[in-house]
Amino acid sequence: GASNQLQSLVAEQSVVIEEGARRLTGGRAAYDEASGVLQLTGQPTWQDGERSGRGQVLLADLQRSQLTVRGDASLVLPRAQTGTLLSALVVQPGQKPDPRAAENAAAGSSPTRIVCDEYEFSPEAVAFRGHVRVDDAQMQLTSDTLNVKLSPGGTNEASLLADLVVGDLLDRG
Protein backbone atom coordinates (compact mmCIF):
# COMPACT_ATOMS: atom_id res chain seq x y z
CA GLY A 1 0.00 0.00 0.00
CA ALA A 2 0.87 3.69 -0.12
CA SER A 3 1.89 3.63 3.56
CA ASN A 4 4.50 0.87 3.14
CA GLN A 5 2.69 -1.12 5.84
CA LEU A 6 2.47 -4.91 5.62
CA GLN A 7 -1.06 -5.81 4.48
CA SER A 8 -0.67 -9.52 3.82
CA LEU A 9 2.01 -12.16 3.71
CA VAL A 10 2.08 -15.69 2.26
CA ALA A 11 4.84 -18.22 2.96
CA GLU A 12 4.96 -21.68 1.42
CA GLN A 13 6.89 -24.91 1.90
CA SER A 14 8.13 -25.89 5.35
CA VAL A 15 7.01 -22.75 7.21
CA VAL A 16 8.42 -22.36 10.74
CA ILE A 17 7.56 -19.44 13.01
CA GLU A 18 9.28 -19.31 16.42
CA GLU A 19 9.25 -16.97 19.38
CA GLY A 20 10.91 -18.25 22.55
CA ALA A 21 9.29 -21.57 23.54
CA ARG A 22 6.44 -21.07 21.06
CA ARG A 23 6.58 -22.61 17.60
CA LEU A 24 4.15 -22.84 14.66
CA THR A 25 4.79 -24.99 11.59
CA GLY A 26 2.91 -25.82 8.41
CA GLY A 27 3.12 -26.24 4.68
CA ARG A 28 1.60 -22.80 4.04
CA ALA A 29 1.05 -19.67 6.14
CA ALA A 30 -1.09 -16.69 5.17
CA TYR A 31 -1.33 -13.53 7.29
CA ASP A 32 -3.94 -10.81 6.80
CA GLU A 33 -3.18 -7.56 8.62
CA ALA A 34 -6.79 -6.32 8.50
CA SER A 35 -8.10 -9.30 10.49
CA GLY A 36 -4.89 -9.97 12.44
CA VAL A 37 -5.24 -13.69 11.67
CA LEU A 38 -2.43 -16.01 10.66
CA GLN A 39 -3.70 -19.18 8.94
CA LEU A 40 -1.51 -22.27 8.66
CA THR A 41 -2.40 -25.28 6.52
CA GLY A 42 -0.48 -28.29 5.20
CA GLN A 43 -0.26 -30.37 8.39
CA PRO A 44 0.08 -27.42 10.77
CA THR A 45 1.40 -27.91 14.29
CA TRP A 46 1.93 -25.69 17.31
CA GLN A 47 4.08 -25.99 20.41
CA ASP A 48 4.18 -23.89 23.55
CA GLY A 49 6.76 -25.30 25.93
CA GLU A 50 5.72 -28.88 26.64
CA ARG A 51 2.20 -28.44 25.23
CA SER A 52 1.64 -29.19 21.56
CA GLY A 53 -1.10 -29.78 19.03
CA ARG A 54 -2.01 -30.31 15.40
CA GLY A 55 -4.94 -30.30 13.00
CA GLN A 56 -5.84 -29.54 9.40
CA VAL A 57 -6.11 -25.76 9.83
CA LEU A 58 -4.54 -23.59 12.50
CA LEU A 59 -5.76 -20.01 13.02
CA ALA A 60 -3.76 -17.66 15.25
CA ASP A 61 -5.75 -14.50 15.97
CA LEU A 62 -2.95 -12.17 17.02
CA GLN A 63 -5.27 -9.30 18.02
CA ARG A 64 -7.35 -11.45 20.41
CA SER A 65 -4.60 -13.85 21.56
CA GLN A 66 -6.66 -16.84 20.38
CA LEU A 67 -5.49 -20.08 18.81
CA THR A 68 -8.03 -22.24 16.94
CA VAL A 69 -7.23 -25.69 15.57
CA ARG A 70 -9.76 -27.29 13.19
CA GLY A 71 -10.12 -30.71 11.57
CA ASP A 72 -8.79 -33.86 13.24
CA ALA A 73 -7.52 -31.63 16.04
CA SER A 74 -5.30 -33.07 18.74
CA LEU A 75 -3.59 -31.71 21.82
CA VAL A 76 -0.89 -33.22 24.03
CA LEU A 77 -0.42 -31.91 27.57
CA PRO A 78 2.48 -32.84 29.88
CA ARG A 79 1.78 -34.37 33.27
CA ALA A 80 1.40 -31.39 35.57
CA GLN A 81 2.86 -31.27 39.06
CA THR A 82 -0.53 -32.09 40.54
CA GLY A 83 -1.13 -34.69 37.85
CA THR A 84 -4.51 -33.29 36.81
CA LEU A 85 -5.91 -32.34 33.44
CA LEU A 86 -6.94 -28.86 34.58
CA SER A 87 -3.55 -27.93 35.97
CA ALA A 88 -1.90 -28.92 32.67
CA LEU A 89 -4.32 -26.71 30.72
CA VAL A 90 -3.89 -23.57 32.80
CA VAL A 91 -0.14 -23.08 32.40
CA GLN A 92 0.17 -19.34 31.92
CA PRO A 93 2.24 -17.77 29.12
CA GLY A 94 5.78 -17.21 30.29
CA GLN A 95 5.36 -19.63 33.22
CA LYS A 96 8.44 -21.79 33.64
CA PRO A 97 7.98 -25.53 33.04
CA ASP A 98 7.44 -27.64 36.13
CA PRO A 99 10.85 -29.07 37.11
CA ARG A 100 9.08 -32.30 38.10
CA ALA A 101 7.71 -32.79 34.57
CA ALA A 102 10.94 -34.48 33.45
CA GLU A 103 10.81 -36.73 36.54
CA ASN A 104 7.19 -37.65 35.76
CA ALA A 105 8.10 -38.46 32.15
CA ALA A 106 11.06 -40.55 33.27
CA ALA A 107 8.82 -42.40 35.74
CA GLY A 108 6.54 -43.42 32.87
CA SER A 109 3.75 -40.94 33.53
CA SER A 110 2.02 -40.54 30.19
CA PRO A 111 0.85 -37.18 28.89
CA THR A 112 -2.80 -36.24 28.52
CA ARG A 113 -4.10 -36.52 24.97
CA ILE A 114 -7.22 -34.80 23.71
CA VAL A 115 -8.69 -35.31 20.24
CA CYS A 116 -11.74 -33.56 18.79
CA ASP A 117 -13.07 -31.85 15.70
CA GLU A 118 -11.76 -28.45 16.83
CA TYR A 119 -10.51 -26.55 19.86
CA GLU A 120 -9.85 -22.94 20.73
CA PHE A 121 -7.52 -21.42 23.33
CA SER A 122 -8.03 -17.88 24.59
CA PRO A 123 -6.74 -16.15 27.73
CA GLU A 124 -10.13 -16.78 29.40
CA ALA A 125 -11.06 -20.30 28.26
CA VAL A 126 -10.30 -23.45 26.33
CA ALA A 127 -13.16 -24.93 24.29
CA PHE A 128 -13.15 -28.39 22.69
CA ARG A 129 -15.96 -29.14 20.22
CA GLY A 130 -17.14 -32.21 18.36
CA HIS A 131 -16.32 -35.82 19.26
CA VAL A 132 -14.10 -34.85 22.21
CA ARG A 133 -12.05 -37.65 23.73
CA VAL A 134 -9.70 -37.17 26.68
CA ASP A 135 -7.15 -39.87 27.53
CA ASP A 136 -5.52 -39.07 30.83
CA ALA A 137 -3.74 -41.14 33.48
CA GLN A 138 -6.68 -40.47 35.84
CA MET A 139 -9.63 -40.65 33.46
CA GLN A 140 -11.00 -41.30 30.03
CA LEU A 141 -13.77 -38.98 28.94
CA THR A 142 -15.87 -38.78 25.80
CA SER A 143 -18.09 -35.75 25.23
CA ASP A 144 -19.66 -33.61 22.53
CA THR A 145 -18.14 -30.46 24.05
CA LEU A 146 -15.70 -29.70 26.82
CA ASN A 147 -15.27 -26.13 28.06
CA VAL A 148 -12.65 -25.02 30.55
CA LYS A 149 -13.05 -21.54 31.98
CA LEU A 150 -9.80 -20.08 33.27
CA SER A 151 -9.71 -17.67 36.16
CA PRO A 152 -8.76 -14.04 35.54
CA GLY A 153 -5.32 -12.94 36.57
CA GLY A 154 -3.59 -16.29 36.01
CA THR A 155 -4.32 -17.78 39.44
CA ASN A 156 -4.32 -21.30 37.93
CA GLU A 157 -7.92 -21.95 38.90
CA ALA A 158 -10.31 -23.41 36.36
CA SER A 159 -13.78 -24.83 36.04
CA LEU A 160 -14.79 -27.57 33.65
CA LEU A 161 -18.15 -28.10 31.88
CA ALA A 162 -18.84 -30.99 29.52
CA ASP A 163 -21.99 -31.99 27.61
CA LEU A 164 -23.14 -35.57 26.92
CA VAL A 165 -20.35 -37.17 28.95
CA VAL A 166 -19.26 -40.79 29.05
CA GLY A 167 -16.31 -41.29 31.36
CA ASP A 168 -14.18 -43.68 33.39
CA LEU A 169 -12.16 -42.66 36.42
CA LEU A 170 -9.03 -44.77 36.61
CA ASP A 171 -7.22 -45.85 39.76
CA ARG A 172 -3.66 -46.53 38.66
CA GLY A 173 -2.07 -46.13 42.04
Side-chain angles (χ1 to χ4, degrees):
S3 65
N4 271 344
Q5 296 284 335
L6 175 69
Q7 294 178 359
S8 65
L9 176 71
V10 175
E12 295 180 326
Q13 297 185 353
S14 302
V15 178
V16 177
I17 302 167
E18 289 183 306
E19 180 184 18
R22 295 180 177 167
R23 178 182 171 102
L24 302 172
T25 66
R28 182 178 192 275
Y31 175 72
D32 177 55
E33 192 275 331
S35 67
V37 174
L38 172 69
Q39 178 177 328
L40 285 109
T41 55
Q43 301 179 335
T45 66
W46 65 268
Q47 184 171 355
D48 186 1
E50 295 181 53
R51 300 181 295 177
S52 64
R54 63 183 60 236
Q56 294 175 354
V57 176
L58 188 148
L59 302 168
D61 186 329
L62 306 178
Q63 295 173 351
R64 294 186 181 107
S65 299
Q66 292 179 338
L67 177 69
T68 303
V69 180
R70 294 186 177 145
D72 296 324
S74 65
L75 170 67
V76 177
L77 301 167
R79 295 302 315 145
Q81 75 181 42
T82 61
T84 66
L85 167 64
L86 291 179
S87 59
L89 277 173
V90 297
V91 174
Q92 299 299 316
Q95 182 177 346
K96 293 182 181 179
D98 179 5
R100 289 177 273 191
E103 295 171 24
N104 288 341
S109 181
S110 61
T112 298
R113 298 183 189 281
I114 303 172
V115 296
C116 58
D117 294 340
E118 82 172 31
Y119 58 87
E120 180 177 290
F121 276 94
S122 73
E124 302 84 27
V126 184
F128 300 92
R129 294 182 282 275
H131 306 98
V132 180
R133 177 170 172 88
V134 178
D135 290 311
D136 182 79
Q138 294 179 328
M139 71 173 167
Q140 290 182 336
L141 178 125
T142 303
S143 175
D144 188 45
T145 63
L146 176 63
N147 295 303
V148 181
K149 183 178 179 185
L150 307 175
S151 64
T155 60
N156 284 353
E157 293 179 15
S159 63
L160 180 120
L161 176 64
D163 293 331
L164 304 171
V165 176
V166 176
D168 291 317
L169 292 176
L170 307 173
D171 182 9
R172 296 187 178 165

